[in-house]
Amino acid sequence: MADALVAAAGLGKVYGTDIATRALEEVSFEIGAGEFVAIVGRSGSGKSTLLNLLGLLDTPSEGTLHLRGTESNSLDKRGRAKLRNELLGFVFQYHHLLPEFSVRENILMPYLISGGPVDEAIGARVDETLRVLGLDGLGAKNANDLSGGQKQRVAIGRALMNRPAIVLADEPTGNLDTENTEAVYSLFRTINEEWGTTFLIVTHDQDIASMTDRILELRDGKLVQDVRNAYAGAITR
Ligand SMILES: Nc1ncnc2c1ncn2[C@@H]1O[C@H](COP(=O)(O)OP(=O)(O)O)[C@@H](O)[C@H]1O
Ligand SMILES: [Mg+2]
């Protein structure tokens, strides 16, 4: 797949020097635009390590990573930050919202950091984001005054503000109840279908994994399964 959005080849990661821990070994796969993928595996199997490498938050010890054709090892710190801002959105287990700021300001944060002017078009983009999130009318509310499920949706809005091609989510529903978990996944699916955004979602939850289109399974840092889930669409749509 020459035009893969993500191409990992022989990715490896060793932490530490005195006491070295191998967290990832010889991981290779390609992901095309618009895919909806789960990354599963036991605790300690290397899921977060892999996501951090894909998100340019850390550098591999071995192997290469191409993101939309750019080899990540060829970039300096600045180049990595630029590609990260342009291409990637992150959702974590904890929402990490700024509690003293409004919903609107929290969603705008990555855009403000990237230095753009807040003009009419950007205001409209925030409104569209709030609509997709089901948070219409809550833009002025203080982030602290939201429920747990609403906070995670704002965090998703923040990840989407720069309209990334890829969303990387690390156990995004680890802190949520069943109802909010389902809401988050149906939101991810809607964005995947409406905007063509690619999703890579680390999850413990088999039910969730079974609703994705493809499952990558890690065991002891190795990729042991890469399967397509032909029925996923029929279940979720
Ligand atoms: N910063 C780090 N320093 C040293 N070892 C680490 C670090 N991060 C993760 N590890 C180790 O790497 C392995 C994989 O961890 P991780 O990627 O967090 O797994 P998962 O997300 O699947 O639970 C584990 O053995 C973990 O202890
Ligand atoms: Mg983890």
Side-chain angles (χ1 to χ4, degrees), residues 34-129:
E35 286 204 62
F36 197 76
V37 183
I39 300 173
V40 303
R42 289 199 185 146
S43 178
S45 60
K47 305 182 298 296
S48 294
T49 299
L50 177 59
L51 220 64
N52 289 344
L53 294 181
L54 299 179
L56 305 176
L57 299 170
D58 201 356
T59 51
S61 307
E62 302 103 17
T64 59
L65 169 68
H66 285 80
L67 292 179
R68 207 172 51 191
T70 303
E71 209 292 295
S72 65
N73 288 320
S74 71
L75 298 168
D76 61 10
K77 207 174 160 202
R78 221 190 151 108
R80 295 164 69 80
K82 185 166 181 285
L83 189 59
R84 197 188 304 129
N85 275 333
E86 284 172 4
L87 202 61
L88 301 166
F90 297 89
V91 182
F92 301 100
Q93 185 169 355
Y94 300 96
H95 53 77
H96 301 295
L97 296 185
L98 299 170
E100 302 305 319
F101 289 80
S102 70
V103 166
R104 204 176 181 84
E105 286 164 334
N106 269 285
I107 289 175
L108 263 171
M109 207 50 73
Y111 180 79
L112 295 175
I113 290 168
S114 72
V118 183
D119 54 19
E120 217 168 285
I122 289 305
R125 204 201 284 179
V126 177
D127 290 338
E128 187 197 23
T129 308

Side-chain angles (χ1 to χ4, degrees), residues 47-48 170-171 202:
K47 305 182 298 296
S48 294
D170 196 349
E171 314 239 11
V202 168

Side-chain angles (χ1 to χ4, degrees), residues 128 131-132 186-197 199:
E128 187 197 23
R131 181 189 57 74
V132 165
S186 81
L187 183 56
F188 283 175
R189 206 29 124 167
T190 302
I191 292 156
N192 168 252
E193 289 177 350
E194 286 190 11
W195 299 352
T197 309
F199 280 80

